[in-house]
Amino acid sequence: MKRFLPLAFALVKFVSGYLLISTQYDLQRDEYLYLNQGQHLAWGYLEVPPLLAAQGWATLALGGGEGWVHFWPFLWGAATVYLVVRLAGRLGGGWFAQALAGVCYLASAFARLNMLFQPNSFEVLGFVLALYALVCFEQERRPRYLYLLGAALGLGLLNKYTTLFFIAALGGALLLTNWRRLLLNRHFWGAAGLALLLWLPNALWQIRHGIPFLHHMALLKSSQLVHVNPLDFWKAQLLMCLPATWVWLAGLLALLLSRAFRAYRAVGWVSVLGVGLLAALHGKDYYALGYYPVLFAFGARWWEMRFRRPQRAAGASPFYWGTAVQIALVLLPLCFLSFFLPLMFPVRSPATMAALRPQYAPLGFYRWEDGQDHALPQDYADMRGWRELADKTWAAYQSLPAAARAHTLIHCANYGQASAINYFNRRRALPIANSLNGSFLYWYPPLDSCQAVLIVDDEPHPELAPRFASYRRVAAITDPYARERGTAVFIGLQPDSAVLAQVRREHRAALAAWEGPK
């Protein structure tokens, strides 16, 4: 049973993802960017480290279909729930503890998280794997588990820089508990060396490019994190794992206070320090998700210990009421999931989701990064309109004079527009779409012999018209549920030298903002 249940939960997690996606949604804005990064492999990017781009490269090598895009978050989610259930078993848990830990993961915000091709799924896996390795080392004292910890942290740093906060929390937890003895273990420092070795290429890339991570954090703080209300952050901590609150909270308290889990107390402190650090830095609420799955395992084991089966007297009925209660408790998180299902999985149409807004908006699910409520949750609105934009860009290109097509620049206002146009037109003879937003700065082409410009923007910019022999708006996104609704395609023919010089200046200025002046 201890071997079967982890695999069963992993299989359910992986397969169910493909069954819970409506065809009425495209990929999400950021997913197109990471796929585009897969066409420009490097040791770093302005937004994220390189691990996701490697997955994007593999996805495109396999044809680039949406099924392959979803494969990666489904795989990392399946691996995470496998570790959570295995951990419950390693703590001495039977079928109840393992099943409860697994159901808590399936029924919490990880359902939504593992739907998207973003660094968050692997981030959670990395945190869980690191703590799982430490628990295994505590139990067996085998150095290989310390090196597994090092690998988890090193790969985590190649995936997302929030791993640095996890490492800080882990360091604090070691100092606060008897796990500080690890600091005297040569294999622990060998594991630290392995983590640094894995991260080194990306760290060197950051140094060579002026540490753009700092500029990225400044942009996040000014445009998004400024809208993070401390009260909303803590409220989200309860809502994200609401179906499992009674499990993870029991696990946290047991780790910090119970003698039964005293040997693993550092795990509890990692969660306290990690979430506390994110709250102090005004991090986004979902940044904290990686600290909860391990608490599911400890909490499930704690609850199982409350149901110790009493010795049965000779001739007594074999029925044990505690079994029925255990089954009910395992099913309880799934009851919550049924209420939150439309928010966890994109299974409802956009019109239905808009109609459900009065029911869920008070909980903050329709609030975007701008701090305002909208018709759809932000992720869902970011899954609409992209195919329409790509098709209309292709049609605009086809309308150009034949002589101008070979000398056409496609300029987009943001990375989402450029990435989506490139993805949907990847099998068409369309020039690569470009932008002065994010990592596209590194891929912007020279403007020599430019005869036509397709401008994709949500603003008309009438001041540009005199800079072209001909300038007109030809199409726009009409999808009422798309975040990019109203984004238009403009055609400018025969740009003058002044407008091309302006683009070059803006390109240099944008690079300097990220990397500093050269």
Side-chain angles (χ1 to χ4, degrees):
M1 181 66 74
K2 285 190 175 184
R3 295 289 184 181
F4 169 75
L5 275 178
L7 290 172
F9 271 95
L11 183 62
V12 168
K13 177 64 178 174
F14 184 81
V15 174
S16 64
Y18 285 103
L19 304 177
L20 294 169
I21 301 179
S22 170
T23 57
Q24 297 187 58
Y25 295 94
D26 298 328
L27 297 175
Q28 197 261 2
R29 172 192 302 268
D30 293 347
E31 295 178 293
Y32 296 112
L33 170 65
Y34 302 134
L35 289 170
N36 224 93
Q37 289 176 350
Q39 295 178 309
H40 303 271
L41 291 180
W43 279 112
Y45 303 90
L46 297 182
E47 302 85 1
V48 292
L51 189 61
L52 203 62
Q55 299 165 47
W57 175 86
T59 299
L60 295 172
L62 293 167
E66 292 187 5
W68 284 113
V69 178
H70 294 307
F71 170 83
W72 300 103
F74 294 169
L75 176 64
W76 306 140
T80 304
V81 75
Y82 174 86
L83 288 176
V84 169
V85 179
R86 280 279 291 156
L87 179 58
R90 273 191 162 272
L91 296 173
W95 73 267
F96 171 65
Q98 293 182 70
L100 181 58
V103 167
C104 285
Y105 186 87
L106 295 181
S108 299
F110 306 97
R112 174 85 167 268
L113 188 86
N114 295 142
M115 295 295 292
L116 299 173
F117 178 61
Q118 295 179 347
N120 306 311
S121 289
F122 193 89
E123 175 192 37
V124 173
L125 173 61
F127 290 7
V128 172
L129 180 58
L131 295 176
Y132 177 87
L134 283 172
V135 170
C136 290
F137 180 77
E138 176 66 23
Q139 293 176 340
E140 301 181 20
R141 293 292 195 274
R142 295 185 179 182
R144 68 183 185 187
Y145 291 118
L146 292 179
Y147 291 103
L148 181 60
L149 165 68
L153 296 179
L155 292 174
L157 289 168
L158 287 178
N159 172 72
K160 195 175 180 183
Y161 295 119
T162 47
T163 303
L164 292 170
F165 302 139
F166 178 85
I167 292 173
L170 177 60
L174 295 182
L175 294 175
L176 289 171
T177 66
N178 60 5
W179 277 13
R180 68 179 68 91
R181 66 180 182 273
L182 287 174
L183 300 176
L184 301 177
N185 188 312
R186 62 187 176 90
H187 294 293
F188 176 82
W189 293 107
L194 173 61
L196 286 174
L197 184 63
L198 289 171
W199 185 42
L200 183 60
N202 175 249
L204 293 175
W205 183 93
Q206 282 282 334
I207 293 171
R208 284 198 303 270
H209 292 81
I211 314 182
F213 166 72
L214 298 178
H215 183 66
H216 188 214
M217 292 302 297
L219 285 178
L220 281 177
K221 182 177 180 180
S222 63
S223 64
Q224 299 179 22
L225 302 186
V226 68
H227 300 296
V228 176
N229 182 292
L231 182 61
D232 289 339
F233 176 89
W234 290 112
K235 184 173 72 172
Q237 299 312 303
L238 293 175
L239 289 175
M240 289 188 300
C241 296
L242 182 61
T245 300
W246 55 282
V247 179
W248 71 256
L249 188 56
L252 178 60
L253 294 176
L255 281 166
L256 297 178
L257 304 174
S258 172
R259 288 185 178 181
F261 295 128
R262 184 177 182 180
Y264 310 111
R265 191 149 294 168
V267 175
W269 278 111
V270 169
S271 298
V272 171
L273 295 175
V275 177
L277 182 60
L278 290 173
L281 295 175
H282 297 279
K284 295 181 184 180
D285 49 41
Y286 65 84
Y287 288 0
L289 275 174
Y291 296 93
Y292 291 97
V294 168
L295 299 181
F296 296 160
F298 280 94
R301 176 58 180 147
W302 183 88
W303 276 105
E304 184 178 67
M305 293 166 65
R306 310 280 76 77
F307 288 94
R308 289 193 180 94
R309 188 184 184 111
Q311 291 186 349
R312 183 164 58 91
S317 170
F319 175 77
Y320 172 51
W321 67 271
T323 301
V325 175
Q326 288 175 328
I327 294 173
L329 290 177
V330 168
L331 295 177
L332 182 60
L334 297 178
C335 297
F336 281 88
L337 178 61
S338 64
F339 176 77
F340 289 106
L341 187 67
L343 301 169
M344 298 290 194
F345 304 100
V347 292
R348 301 287 183 86
S349 69
T352 301
M353 289 303 300
L356 290 173
R357 175 182 166 180
Q359 181 178 350
Y360 295 111
L363 299 176
F365 290 109
Y366 285 70
R367 188 166 302 134
W368 291 9
E369 291 169 345
D370 61 5
Q372 304 298 315
D373 285 349
H374 295 267
L376 295 184
Q378 180 170 312
D379 279 345
Y380 288 18
D382 262 335
M383 296 178 186
R384 296 282 301 187
W386 301 115
R387 191 184 303 270
E388 178 187 0
L389 175 63
D391 288 341
K392 288 181 175 178
T393 302
W394 168 248
Y397 176 73
Q398 290 293 97
S399 71
L400 293 174
R405 291 180 195 167
H407 306 282
T408 297
L409 170 71
I410 303 178
H411 179 94
C412 301
N414 61 60
Y415 69 77
Q417 299 160 357
S419 299
I421 289 170
N422 291 336
Y423 176 77
F424 286 110
N425 289 300
R426 63 190 186 279
R427 294 188 177 90
R428 292 168 171 169
L430 182 74
I432 297 297
N434 302 277
S435 177
L436 296 180
N437 181 219
S439 289
F440 275 88
L441 287 169
Y442 291 130
W443 314 324
Y444 207 83
L447 302 180
D448 303 331
S449 67
C450 179
Q451 298 181 18
V453 182
L454 298 184
I455 300 175
V456 179
D457 203 334
D458 58 356
E459 296 181 7
H461 295 293
E463 72 279 5
L464 293 177
R467 300 298 183 183
F468 295 88
S470 170
Y471 184 80
R472 69 187 191 279
R473 179 180 184 271
V474 294
I477 295 179
T478 58
D479 186 338
Y481 300 108
R483 187 180 179 189
E484 290 278 345
R485 181 187 181 187
T487 292
V489 180
F490 302 85
I491 292 179
L493 296 178
Q494 300 301 322
D496 65 15
S497 58
V499 73
L500 296 180
Q502 178 183 339
V503 173
R504 294 188 185 98
R505 287 195 301 271
E506 290 177 356
H507 185 210
R508 289 194 297 269
L511 273 176
W514 280 94
E515 300 185 345
K518 299 298 183 183

